[in-house]
Amino acid sequence: MDHTHTIKIFSCRGSRPIAEKIAQSLKLELGKSEVTVFSDGEFQPAFNESVRGATVFIVQSTYPPVENLFELLLMIDAAKRASAYKVIAVMPYFGWARQDRKDRPRVSIGAKMVANMLGAAGCDRVMTVDLHADQIQGFFDFPVDHIYASSIFLPYLRSLNMENISIAAPDMGGAKRANAYSRILGCPLIVCHKSRERANVVGSMTAIGEVEGRNIIIIDDMVDTAGTLTKAANMLMEKGALSVRALATHAVLSGAAYENIANSQLAELIVTDTIPLRPAPGADTSKIKVISIAELIGDVIDKVYNYKSITPTFVF
């Protein structure tokens, strides 16, 4: 890499495995940093090497607990105060993205607030993978590199060599994403329609489209409790599907998610490593396949650092 400003990649505590893979893909060492934790739980991150004049990439997915987000903010602030040339937040999973609008009175728009906090901390740019809603990019007053996991999912789907594939959206909100996959693969689209009783609890569900005799791939941006996903898979199998797989970029997997997946009719759940899997001891993870997105993020970092276009990286 030929550049006047050196490139340095650091990791917060919540995303060390993927940060190490990103650095490896760029043939770089992960920067040295540490976090001092006080007895009351307060913590203070610090860089253990100079970042003066450097383009600093800080890797952290902001999944709960909220400390993951706050540690990233403190690291950005520390880099700015240490005279870094540019500070870029690499957020494989952008937390609080489900709060992207006021869907009922008297609620916050959490994604906008996170964008404001990143700007206030001194962030110059954000890189993230498969935002819950594309319009979140408009919450920022600086560049956002929105990376699509389709670049790694599509080759995997093709490698399965399955016939009679149909792509399914688990709900109406995911129809646009699923439609993009069905267009690229040239196969039919199914839309599952659900009615929610309350957050994370699905009531009834029906499918729009031809299900019988098809190998179905459900496409989603994240899997949380896996309630919607497993209900959709079971319903599609009941309607005569040959098999049901699911692709979900972000493996949030909270609550009874591992149990739900293991007990469902899903043949396979394919996720990326934007969030590290954290199963309870003894949890059945046999149906979950993790494909690393680190190399793709590393490629985008390299292009951004060298002022090259990142458009060719994206499938859609």
Side-chain angles (χ1 to χ4, degrees):
M1 288 179 179
D2 176 33
H3 216 284
T4 49
H5 301 282
T6 51
I7 179 172
K8 298 208 172 189
I9 296 182
F10 293 89
S11 173
C12 296
R13 291 171 296 176
S15 292
R16 195 144 188 107
I18 190 171
E20 282 171 352
K21 287 182 195 164
I22 292 167
Q24 203 177 345
S25 77
L26 290 162
K27 298 181 171 56
L28 293 169
E29 288 284 318
L30 207 54
K32 296 179 181 68
S33 61
E34 64 176 359
V35 179
T36 305
V37 182
F38 302 100
S39 68
D40 65 348
E42 188 182 319
F43 56 89
Q44 183 184 48
F47 292 97
N48 287 348
E49 60 183 82
S50 173
V51 295
R52 186 178 296 277
T55 302
V56 174
F57 292 85
I58 302 170
V59 183
Q60 176 77 315
S61 284
T62 53
Y63 57 91
V66 76
E67 275 84 349
N68 284 330
L69 170 60
F70 200 65
E71 187 177 331
L72 174 62
L73 295 170
L74 290 174
M75 284 281 275
I76 293 165
D77 184 63
K80 271 294 190 204
R81 293 177 190 279
S83 302
Y85 168 65
K86 284 269 190 320
V87 183
I88 298 161
V90 180
M91 304 168 72
Y93 170 68
F94 184 87
W96 280 265
R98 283 175 281 190
Q99 298 179 44
D100 62 327
R101 65 199 183 282
K102 276 189 74 174
D103 54 355
R104 57 197 174 97
R106 298 177 295 281
V107 295
S108 74
I109 303 179
K112 169 65 177 157
M113 198 182 74
V114 170
N116 287 348
M117 288 194 290
L118 287 162
C123 190
D124 294 294
R125 187 183 200 105
V126 160
M127 284 181 188
T128 191
V129 181
D130 279 352
L131 281 167
H132 188 63
D134 285 348
Q135 70 266 19
I136 290 172
Q137 294 170 79
F139 294 168
F140 294 88
D141 294 324
F142 48 82
V144 176
D145 298 307
H146 189 200
I147 301 165
Y148 296 103
S150 54
S151 303
I152 59 167
F153 280 153
L154 284 165
Y156 177 76
L157 284 182
R158 291 186 177 115
S159 76
L160 294 173
N161 288 322
M162 283 194 303
E163 292 182 353
N164 301 324
I165 287 182
S166 284
I167 297 293
D171 51 34
M172 302 302 270
K176 185 187 168 195
R177 185 180 288 106
N179 184 50
Y181 275 82
S182 77
R183 195 182 67 244
I184 290 164
L185 293 168
C187 57
L189 178 67
I190 296 164
V191 179
C192 301
H193 181 258
K194 66 183 177 185
S195 61
R196 274 205 189 277
E197 287 178 9
R198 58 183 187 276
N200 292 125
V201 179
V202 180
S204 60
M205 185 174 267
T206 54
I208 304 159
E210 193 187 330
V211 174
E212 203 169 332
R214 311 295 298 182
N215 287 304
I216 297 172
I217 318 283
I218 302 172
I219 308 287
D220 214 347
D221 65 312
M222 67 168 72
V223 51
D224 190 350
T225 61
T228 301
L229 202 56
T230 52
K231 193 153 191 161
N234 296 347
M235 180 264 296
L236 291 165
M237 288 299 283
E238 276 166 30
K239 287 184 179 289
L242 292 178
S243 69
V244 182
R245 283 175 169 74
L247 295 179
T249 308
H250 309 297
V252 178
L253 299 177
S254 68
Y258 288 97
E259 204 179 317
N260 289 340
I261 292 159
N263 298 334
S264 75
Q265 303 247 20
L266 270 177
E268 188 177 34
L269 169 64
I270 304 110
V271 297
T272 75
D273 53 352
T274 57
I275 300 173
L277 290 190
R278 296 157 295 159
D284 183 357
T285 60
S286 57
K287 289 184 181 180
I288 303 171
K289 178 179 176 64
V290 182
I291 305 176
S292 182
I293 200 157
E295 213 163 290
L296 180 62
I297 295 172
D299 184 44
V300 173
I301 287 173
D302 181 58
K303 286 186 165 81
V304 165
Y305 175 66
N306 289 302
Y307 303 112
K308 291 179 185 170
S309 170
I310 62 172
T311 309
T313 309
F314 303 138
V315 177
F316 61 82

